Amino acid sequence: MIVTVFAQNVGLVGMTRVRSRYVAAVAGGILVLLGLIPKLGDVVASLPGPVVGGAGLVVFATVTAVGINTLRKVEFDGTNNLLIVAVSIGIGMPPVVAPTIYHTFPTWVQIIGGSAIASATIAAFLLNLLFNHTPGLNKAKTAPAEAAPAEPAATS
């Protein structure tokens, strides 16, 4: 099992407004102590599943909200960005709704395709590179609006 603190940090920073790297370092130290002192680990393991699930729900919902807030700042009009987001979400969904979908594929496909985050991120990166950073392909951007013609001056 691979454990990271990055995604959780986004949610926790959004909820607590604490942005210190020392907090993550102290949390890491606490996790080491929990691993080295079995009685402390037992205390944490005795927490009821619904309590842990409720806390996880809040944290990961906040991660989602932070992602949506980030997308709010993206310019969608006159660009291919809506297509990039839509296709990336579509590519990231199969491992979430059908976790066994890639089990018959080669190992390297399972590693990339089996992770919703990895597959969606790679898709977004490649599509952004293709549509927004390849000369001649980004024709969806509109030219600036021309100034309206001046109305004739009224004569009295």
Side-chain angles (χ1 to χ4, degrees):
M1 180 175 160
I2 299 173
V3 180
T4 72
V5 295
F6 179 73
Q8 294 87 341
N9 282 348
V10 173
L12 292 173
V13 166
M15 285 185 339
T16 64
R17 307 272 189 242
V18 175
R19 292 176 172 86
S20 172
R21 71 180 120 184
Y22 299 110
V23 173
V26 169
I30 291 170
L31 291 174
V32 169
L33 285 176
L34 291 173
L36 294 175
I37 303 172
K39 291 292 181 190
L40 289 177
D42 289 343
V43 169
V44 174
S46 69
L47 288 172
V51 172
V52 176
L57 178 72
V58 171
V59 169
F60 289 108
T62 306
V63 170
T64 303
V66 169
I68 292 169
N69 188 42
T70 301
L71 284 176
R72 189 177 60 127
K73 299 170 188 168
V74 174
E75 183 179 336
F76 288 110
D77 293 335
T79 67
N80 290 310
N81 291 336
L82 184 61
L83 178 66
I84 293 169
V85 171
V87 171
S88 299
I89 290 172
I91 288 174
M93 288 304 293
V96 174
V97 297
T100 60
I101 194 167
Y102 293 109
H103 283 177
T104 59
F105 285 79
T107 304
W108 69 271
V109 175
Q110 290 179 32
I111 291 170
I112 295 170
S115 166
I117 294 172
S119 58
T121 301
I122 290 170
F125 176 79
L126 293 176
L127 289 170
N128 183 50
L129 191 65
L130 177 69
F131 287 126
N132 293 330
H133 298 284
T134 302
L137 280 182
N138 195 5
K139 295 179 181 172
K141 287 191 177 178
T142 57
E146 295 179 20
E151 292 189 22
T155 57
S156 18

